[in-house]
Amino acid sequence: MNVRIYCMAAIAATVLHACVKQSKPAPTDEATTNKATRLPVENAVAANVTVTYTDESSFVSSLSSYGYKTPDQLSLNRVGTSSGYTSAYGFNIPAANQVKGFKWNDGDEGTTEWRPQGITGFTWGSKNYLLITWYGISPDEIAGVNNQHKGVRVSLVDITSMSNITYRHILLVQNKANMSNSALYKASNPYTQLDAYAPVTIHGGGIACYGSKVYVADTKLGIRVFDVTKFISAAGDDTETRCGKETDGTLKAFNYAYVLPQTGYYKITNASPFSCIETGTGTTASDIMLWTGQYIEASETTVPKVYGFHLNSSGQIVTSPAPEVITPIDNDNTNVNGIQGVYRAGTKTFMSTTGNSSYEGSTARLTRYNDGAAAGVRYRWPHGAEDLYLEQSTGYLWNLTEYETVKYGTDNRCVFAVRLTDYD
């Protein structure tokens, strides 16, 4: 494997002031926290952040004889519906701000084996797609459920027509050799591990796209990288227990019809946890960046931060400019805790958060922080909110909610879009 090491150390801080535009948020019943208020914090060059890239393209090439498929070549076997998404548990977006959205089929609304987390999107030819991550549930989340060994699946969702939503689940896989590296593979409940590849056993809390590259947040490690031109067909497995290449050369993936192999990964120090990820911009619209957010609970002493990594035209993190760090402030001049999703452009950072006081049936909020402002601005947001994705062509900010039907006795899972300008 080819390893490239990027040592990114700050020499000087770059101070970027925002032109603050305060939009009036929906009224809230926020209680004052017991955290000390903070002085305004501006974004700066991130000090002591080191990024190491490991190229695994040779592993992906070893599967080339099975043939690669692009998104338009996949058979999408499930149907979603745009009807009823606003009636999901804790959905509290004001009617005037509702744009569009959908619910999964009944099985995916209710499954306790997987929870959706990350969301991104891209266009391919005449098609408009979303790509959404789900992580396998363990007994830590739901008693008696042991699905964590399957790692992460992604849903390729065709949203070209909201009246004809189709999708397919695809298993993320990595080189079987990575199983010996505890930073890349976590052993759990037993299954039949075959040759060639293994599951990607991470939380998959966020996902982003640039060109054909797909970036998935790995909470402790950094970023896993995939390629949407490298989907591969797998054979059926009625037992749903086998993963990898059989001795006869047949590929298995717990009965999933397609796999998406990992092409490489970034190990990033001094910026974890990597709870979410999205592409955005820096100080100019041409400055493309990957932004990651930290999920830190209010009970912790760590100050939550948002980190930005500059991309070149090939979608690779570069050494110069150095990565940036934002320390956003919430509406009551305290930390922005519980960050589940992040999108940043210019001098504005948008974050979906959970673990707040209940308002309009939800403990989630959307927080906007303008660099240099004394405090952020909060808006009501659906319960169980996760990752964020801005659809550049429309200006729609997409989000999704995670919980299974049984948790509240009614459907909670939905995927929805609002106009970013309504929160800007």
Side-chain angles (χ1 to χ4, degrees):
M1 294 184 290
N2 297 323
V3 179
R4 293 178 291 172
I5 299 178
Y6 302 140
C7 295
M8 302 176 176
I11 298 175
T14 302
V15 178
L16 300 175
H17 289 274
C19 297
V20 180
K21 174 186 174 185
Q22 297 287 356
S23 296
K24 184 178 180 181
T28 68
D29 61 351
E30 305 295 343
T32 301
T33 70
N34 58 8
K35 285 179 174 276
T37 57
R38 305 204 351 251
L39 295 174
V41 177
E42 296 166 342
N43 64 310
V45 171
N48 303 318
V49 173
T50 301
V51 181
T52 305
Y53 181 68
T54 299
D55 181 6
E56 297 182 297
S57 58
S58 59
F59 153 65
V60 180
S61 295
S62 72
L63 299 172
S64 62
S65 62
Y66 292 93
Y68 301 136
K69 294 183 182 296
T70 54
D72 57 314
Q73 295 175 315
L74 271 58
S75 171
L76 306 186
N77 64 333
R78 301 189 178 211
V79 177
T81 177
S82 58
S83 175
Y85 82 93
T86 61
S87 63
Y89 179 88
F91 190 90
N92 58 10
I93 298 295
N97 293 9
Q98 296 171 13
V99 176
K100 59 182 176 179
F102 69 91
K103 291 173 63 176
W104 308 96
N105 70 18
D106 289 345
D108 291 325
E109 284 290 323
T111 183
T112 57
E113 294 194 343
W114 300 92
R115 277 181 181 164
Q117 298 288 293
I119 183 170
T120 190
F122 58 92
T123 57
W124 194 268
S126 61
K127 298 287 188 178
N128 191 16
Y129 293 102
L130 295 177
L131 199 59
I132 293 171
T133 62
W134 305 61
Y135 75 97
I137 295 295
S138 73
D140 293 338
E141 288 87 22
I142 301 177
V145 179
N146 286 277
N147 199 48
Q148 67 272 35
H149 62 285
K150 294 180 183 176
V152 178
R153 70 182 186 186
V154 293
S155 300
L156 180 68
V157 189
D158 184 346
I159 58 166
T160 308
S161 169
M162 295 303 290
S163 62
N164 183 30
I165 299 167
T166 57
Y167 63 97
R168 162 78 76 167
H169 301 313
I170 297 127
L171 191 73
L172 297 186
V173 298
Q174 62 180 323
N175 193 337
K176 183 184 176 182
N178 290 349
M179 294 179 70
S180 63
N181 186 337
S182 60
L184 297 174
Y185 179 83
K186 181 180 179 181
S188 58
N189 45 307
Y191 66 95
T192 303
Q193 177 62 59
L194 305 171
D195 199 11
Y197 58 76
V200 179
T201 51
I202 62 175
H203 184 72
I207 186 170
C209 288
Y210 182 73
S212 68
K213 284 187 169 58
V214 176
Y215 313 88
V216 177
D218 182 325
T219 308
K220 295 181 179 180
L221 177 73
I223 301 169
R224 308 285 188 121
V225 186
F226 304 82
D227 190 323
V228 296
T229 67
K230 299 294 190 295
F231 292 102
I232 299 173
S233 295
D237 170 26
D238 291 339
T239 69
E240 300 185 7
T241 61
R242 305 174 74 78
C243 185
K245 184 170 71 172
E246 299 274 14
T247 55
D248 65 0
T250 304
L251 301 183
K252 297 293 177 64
F254 304 120
N255 208 34
Y256 286 93
Y258 302 99
V259 297
L260 185 61
Q262 181 173 291
T263 63
Y265 58 90
Y266 290 97
K267 180 180 179 181
I268 305 175
T269 61
N270 300 317
S272 63
F274 303 93
S275 304
C276 50
I277 189 169
E278 188 49 83
T279 50
T281 66
T283 54
T284 66
S286 61
D287 188 14
I288 305 302
M289 302 183 70
L290 281 175
W291 292 100
T292 65
Q294 297 181 318
Y295 179 90
I296 305 292
E297 295 183 349
S299 59
E300 300 178 61
T301 58
T302 303
V303 176
K305 299 180 186 299
V306 171
Y307 286 89
F309 303 91
H310 295 262
L311 296 179
N312 63 18
S313 59
S314 298
Q316 300 164 322
I317 294 178
V318 296
T319 59
S320 180
E324 299 177 14
V325 61
I326 316 297
T327 310
I329 304 175
D330 215 330
N331 69 322
D332 57 355
N333 197 245
T334 63
N335 296 331
V336 181
N337 292 106
I339 299 174
Q340 300 279 16
V342 64
Y343 170 71
R344 179 172 167 85
T347 56
K348 297 178 182 180
T349 307
F350 299 83
M351 295 153 286
S352 56
T353 69
T354 57
N356 306 289
S357 58
S358 182
Y359 179 72
E360 294 288 337
S362 174
T363 60
R365 301 289 188 277
L366 181 71
T367 297
R368 188 194 76 239
Y369 178 67
N370 293 17
D371 292 353
V377 180
R378 275 188 175 190
Y379 302 87
R380 66 173 73 172
W381 209 241
H383 190 67
E386 290 293 321
D387 202 24
L388 293 173
Y389 155 60
L390 185 77
E391 188 177 26
Q392 295 288 344
S393 62
T394 61
Y396 292 163
L397 185 67
W398 286 86
N399 193 218
L400 74 168
T401 56
E402 68 168 327
Y403 292 117
E404 58 281 348
T405 304
V406 70
K407 187 174 180 69
Y408 300 110
T410 187
D411 290 344
N412 168 254
R413 290 176 182 151
C414 69
V415 182
F416 67 94
V418 298
R419 290 173 291 270
L420 184 66
T421 54
D422 287 340
Y423 300 88
D424 195 359

